[in-house]
Amino acid sequence: MLDALELKPFVPSRDFDLSCRFYRDLGFEERLVGDELAEFSLGAQAFLLQDFYRKDWAQNCVRHLLVSDARAWWRHIKQLELFDRYPGTRGTPPEDKPWHICQFSLVDPCGVLWHIAHPTR
């Protein structure tokens, strides 16, 4: 029988140390895997941040994170003043989408786009 034990996407970084600080401040737990690779986890969910940058890849890299309360996440980000503290970061406030999720967008320091959402039904 075929199964999968884990799936971890790779996420690029232009400034590895800056991106590591950003994701730690956001609330992820960091585990260094090597000089150019770190695993970031939140509960059972994880991704691998790498010290590798290609503009075309970073600006077309999109991640979707399903959470229990997207509006609470947005308040957390605003309280931390992440957009003021990390150059290049930005976001759009949560809104209800027709496909039954409440979602906001977050762009990390490298240009990676995150859609952070919770189901609305």
Side-chain angles (χ1 to χ4, degrees):
M1 178 173 177
L2 300 176
D3 66 350
L5 300 178
E6 185 174 67
L7 176 65
K8 289 183 197 166
F10 281 83
V11 172
S13 67
R14 182 174 27 220
D15 179 331
F16 186 68
D17 292 332
L18 179 74
S19 289
C20 284
R21 285 194 311 274
F22 174 81
Y23 285 111
R24 281 193 310 263
D25 285 351
L26 191 55
F28 285 86
E29 185 177 320
E30 177 184 22
R31 184 178 67 84
L32 291 175
V33 178
D35 292 339
E36 300 176 344
L37 189 65
E39 178 186 81
F40 282 88
S41 61
L42 191 61
Q45 311 309 316
F47 67 92
L48 296 167
L49 183 72
Q50 58 184 336
D51 189 5
F52 176 81
Y53 178 75
R54 281 195 46 172
K55 184 178 180 179
D56 60 335
W57 179 43
Q59 292 182 341
N60 287 288
C61 186
V62 180
R63 298 291 173 240
H64 175 78
L65 178 63
L66 194 63
V67 298
S68 60
D69 186 345
R71 293 184 196 285
W73 270 80
W74 181 255
R75 287 190 300 274
H76 170 72
I77 288 166
K78 297 300 278 185
Q79 286 173 339
L80 292 173
E81 299 178 334
L82 287 183
F83 303 138
D84 295 329
R85 294 175 39 220
Y86 291 95
T89 61
R90 61 191 183 282
T92 59
E95 63 178 297
D96 291 333
K97 300 292 188 176
W99 47 92
H100 307 291
I101 64 169
C102 174
Q103 173 183 298
F104 71 89
S105 297
L106 172 68
V107 176
D108 84 352
C110 179
V112 173
L113 172 62
W114 286 81
H115 290 169
I116 300 176
H118 71 254
T120 55
R121 68 172 177 164

